[in-house]
Amino acid sequence: MRATRSFGKVFKCTLIGEGGVGKTSIALRYTEDRFEEDMKITIGVNFANKKIQVDGIDVTLMLWDLGGQPRFRDVVTDYFRGSKIAIAVYDATRPFSLDRLDDWVKRLKENASECEILFVGNKIDERTEDGVSLEYAQTYADTYGASVVEVSAKTGEGINEMFELAARVLLDKDRDASSPFAESME
């Protein structure tokens, strides 16, 4: 019997959210397993990728880390196209950063309507009583039919699991789309 080789799946994953919420730190922790205390703002877009294996399938996540400063808003919108999943990051210590994701999600859906969304609360290692609770964040995410994951780019807590969840969501969607029944279900 001849073995067939699978080349795996490649997915574009866009990190969105306000400046300072930790998008670049999350990408850096995930791809290089390191954290920088004095991270500089992202000017435009940063790019990285990581290959992982999920359920025996090789998956490459192409991470597009979009600058969150208001002056980059019009520039980064072009990078939404082709995104399969958006990691919508908020700072768990700053509630307004979650509320401001509405604008990001609106612009995302205008350019990549089929893009999945995963809300991610970062900086949970610094959260106080005034911060965003998981319950509040999930209620917010429910309005988009999405899930919430909490992480700390600083400590690494939850980072690998979050990206594995994102890969699973994408693989499940890909399996559903390639199902022989997919056309009849539309």
Side-chain angles (χ1 to χ4, degrees), residues 9-160:
K9 301 287 182 177
V10 178
F11 298 110
K12 182 177 179 179
C13 174
T14 308
L15 284 84
I16 63 173
E18 293 296 298
V21 296
K23 298 178 301 294
T24 302
S25 293
I26 287 171
L28 193 61
R29 173 61 76 184
Y30 184 59
T31 59
E32 299 180 26
D33 194 25
R34 64 186 180 92
F35 179 80
E36 290 183 16
E37 282 290 339
D38 298 317
M39 184 66 65
K40 304 286 188 249
I41 68 165
T42 300
I43 298 176
V45 179
N46 286 332
F47 176 79
N49 67 57
K50 184 162 179 173
K51 294 179 182 178
I52 60 174
Q53 196 168 78
V54 178
D55 299 332
I57 300 170
D58 292 328
V59 176
T60 301
L61 294 176
M62 299 185 320
L63 307 180
W64 294 68
D65 168 20
L66 307 184
Q69 305 299 325
R71 63 180 171 231
F72 303 128
R73 289 256 163 94
D74 293 334
V75 175
V76 299
T77 300
D78 290 338
Y79 294 103
F80 292 149
R81 291 188 193 98
S83 294
K84 299 301 180 191
I85 193 165
I87 305 297
V89 182
Y90 64 93
D91 180 340
T93 69
R94 300 183 313 176
F96 73 89
S97 67
L98 177 62
D99 297 330
R100 290 199 179 151
L101 285 173
D102 283 332
D103 181 57
W104 283 95
V105 172
K106 178 181 176 255
R107 290 184 298 119
L108 170 76
K109 290 299 188 174
E110 288 170 355
N111 292 279
S113 61
E114 299 297 314
C115 186
E116 298 291 327
I117 302 171
L118 179 60
F119 289 92
V120 175
N122 188 28
K123 304 184 186 182
I124 59 170
D125 56 298
E126 299 175 10
R127 180 173 41 207
T128 64
E129 283 186 23
D130 297 333
V132 180
S133 70
L134 178 59
E135 295 78 19
Y136 179 82
Q138 187 59 63
T139 299
Y140 176 89
D142 286 346
T143 65
Y144 293 101
S147 296
V148 176
V149 176
E150 293 188 319
V151 303
S152 170
K154 187 175 193 175
T155 67
E157 180 182 348
I159 297 289
N160 290 334

Side-chain angles (χ1 to χ4, degrees), residues 1-13:
M1 177 180 262
R2 188 174 167 164
T4 58
R5 179 167 181 201
S6 170
F7 291 99
K9 301 287 182 177
V10 178
F11 298 110
K12 182 177 179 179
C13 174

